[in-house]
Amino acid sequence: SSLEDIESKLKPLQDQANAKLKAVESKLKPLRDNATGVIFAPKLDNGLYLIGAGARTKTIVKLYAVAIYGSPSVLNAISSFPPGEEQRREAALALRNAARTLGTFDSFSPTTSIVLEMAFKADAKTVAEAIAESVKLRYGGSSSDIQELESLIFEGIKKKGGQATKGTVLRFDCSEDGVNVSVDGILQGMAKFNDMASAFVDVYMDEKAVSPTLIDSCLDAWRGKEAQELSASLLEQHINSMKA
């Protein structure tokens, strides 16, 4: 049938686009958080790219390593800025705006993912409360929404014995629909509230972000000529693979 003819003509184009994207992606590197030694992969299974990695510390205790993953449009938002201190604030603001603007018409991947790896053993209640409290300070909605987010984190950790032991991975996929919570790769559920995802991203990206080293890492990794070329190529190949 004519539909099969069209598909058979499109397949080589799709294969070609995918091959080009893979070639560009092969230049991506994992990042290591120096404080905890945790290494984060350059790409997530949802197609998002590693922007930076840092740590959340309290006094001298390293609580967890944290990474942020985003679409090529987020990478491009930072890479247009020169390295160095002069435009650092502007670059940090552009990063925050791009990472928290979810599901917009021009974004190719309407999700930003935050991945935490525990560096210190803590119980479910402590971890869930600490994360929920940070989101609450930045969220304009109801406190019962925050309780739902807290209980998703709590239940996810409870399933693995009630302790977030060293190496436990918490992942938060932030989209227009809300915040998807996973613990050690097992999806716990979604806190489906408008603007909660942007508030969650702000915990790690705003002026009072809980991990300044994460923002530093993003700005170090994606500014400069090489980063600019790589992020532009990723964006171009993403557009091409969507057209093919």
Side-chain angles (χ1 to χ4, degrees):
S1 75
S2 59
L3 186 63
E4 280 170 1
D5 291 345
I6 294 166
E7 281 177 353
S8 68
K9 283 179 182 148
L10 283 177
K11 192 173 185 318
L13 290 173
Q14 185 71 57
D15 291 348
Q16 198 180 358
N18 288 343
K20 280 186 176 170
L21 180 60
K22 283 218 158 33
V24 175
E25 287 179 349
S26 69
K27 296 175 183 168
L28 297 166
K29 296 179 181 74
L31 287 175
R32 179 179 184 272
D33 166 52
N34 291 332
T36 58
V38 172
I39 295 168
F40 291 97
K43 188 181 175 186
L44 279 185
D45 57 8
N46 59 2
L48 298 182
Y49 299 109
L50 178 60
I51 309 171
R56 168 81 163 113
T57 56
K58 223 164 187 179
T59 57
I60 56 163
V61 179
K62 296 160 193 160
L63 301 176
Y64 56 74
V66 54
I68 184 167
Y69 290 79
S71 68
S73 39
V74 180
L75 305 178
N76 274 270
I78 324 169
S79 68
S80 57
F81 289 91
E85 280 304 305
E86 203 179 319
Q87 291 186 42
R88 191 188 176 284
R89 272 200 66 183
E90 292 86 343
L93 190 61
L95 164 63
R96 178 192 171 190
N97 285 339
R100 76 192 299 283
T101 306
L102 303 157
T104 50
F105 181 68
D106 62 344
S107 80
F108 293 102
S109 176
T111 307
T112 295
S113 292
I114 310 271
V115 180
L116 315 182
E117 184 170 322
M118 297 301 295
F120 184 82
K121 184 178 172 184
D123 64 68
K125 188 172 184 288
T126 305
V127 176
E129 276 179 4
I131 296 170
E133 190 56 38
S134 295
V135 178
K136 186 180 179 180
L137 293 171
R138 296 160 172 87
Y139 180 63
S142 159
S143 60
S144 64
D145 302 353
I146 297 292
Q147 282 164 359
E148 189 163 330
L149 174 70
E150 189 178 319
S151 92
L152 286 169
I153 302 167
F154 178 82
E155 291 301 329
I157 297 169
K158 205 170 128 189
K159 278 182 184 165
K160 50 170 293 161
Q163 295 285 331
T165 46
K166 190 179 173 191
T168 300
V169 176
L170 308 174
R171 177 166 144 186
F172 303 91
D173 296 328
C174 303
S175 70
E176 200 178 18
D177 298 329
V179 180
N180 244 343
V181 180
S182 303
V183 178
D184 282 345
I186 297 160
L187 181 64
Q188 190 55 40
M190 181 184 263
K192 287 189 184 174
F193 304 105
N194 268 359
D195 301 329
M196 183 178 280
S198 294
F200 201 104
V201 173
D202 281 346
V203 171
Y204 296 95
M205 290 286 115
D206 71 10
E207 301 83 359
K208 293 180 176 162
V210 299
S211 173
T213 54
L214 174 62
I215 297 174
D216 290 342
S217 169
C218 295
L219 298 179
D220 288 347
W222 289 101
R223 287 191 299 169
K225 193 171 183 298
E226 206 177 313
Q228 198 166 3
E229 285 169 8
L230 182 53
S231 63
S233 301
L234 282 171
L235 188 59
E236 186 191 346
Q237 296 312 330
H238 262 258
I239 294 166
N240 289 345
S241 64
M242 285 172 81
K243 281 181 187 167

